[in-house]
Amino acid sequence: HHLICKLLDGAMDRLAAAKGAIERKEVARKGELLGSAITIIDGLRASLDYEQGAEIAANLGTLYDYMERRLVEANAASDVSIVEEVTGLLKEIRTGWDSLPAEIRNKRPGVH
């Protein structure tokens, strides 16, 4: 739980910085930050457990893929609204993680 939340926060931090870079017309910095956010989101997607998570993992996988594609579009078009859209989606996922009961959040993998 802690690692996932850190990754989500890291992606959102990079998107906030990318938004600023777009507004300042810092093309190279924008690309670096959006690329970094895409890498984090890809890592989140790759870490999904489709056996344990079944439908939830599949839905998250589809959502992460969508976010990655949107960020590629945001980079090409320097579109702040797309960055804001993806940030909103990440915030919703983060809220979902935060709403998990403490006994589930603190559970270690493989420990019952």
Side-chain angles (χ1 to χ4, degrees):
H1 171 265
H2 184 70
L3 177 59
I4 298 296
C5 288
K6 286 280 203 191
L7 289 169
L8 291 167
D9 290 344
M12 287 187 286
D13 288 347
R14 281 158 184 80
L15 292 179
K19 183 179 168 186
I22 291 170
E23 291 167 347
R24 291 185 301 276
K25 301 188 184 325
E26 297 172 351
V27 177
R29 184 73 178 138
K30 169 200 70 170
E32 290 170 13
L33 291 162
L34 291 174
S36 180
I38 290 168
T39 299
I40 292 170
I41 293 168
D42 191 55
L44 289 164
R45 187 170 50 81
S47 70
L48 292 171
D49 185 340
Y50 290 93
E51 285 183 34
Q52 296 248 340
E55 186 178 348
I56 293 172
N59 290 341
L60 278 172
T62 300
L63 184 58
Y64 288 145
D65 183 61
Y66 171 79
M67 287 189 273
E68 290 177 45
R69 285 184 283 116
R70 290 296 283 160
L71 291 176
V72 169
E73 292 173 31
N75 191 28
S78 292
D79 192 331
V80 169
S81 67
I82 297 173
V83 175
E84 290 170 343
E85 173 195 357
V86 173
T87 300
L89 293 169
L90 289 169
K91 284 180 182 177
E92 286 185 43
I93 294 168
R94 178 70 157 88
T95 299
W97 276 99
D98 287 340
S99 70
L100 290 173
E103 59 271 9
I104 293 174
R105 282 186 288 163
N106 298 327
K107 186 176 178 184
R108 292 197 172 135
V111 178
H112 302 281

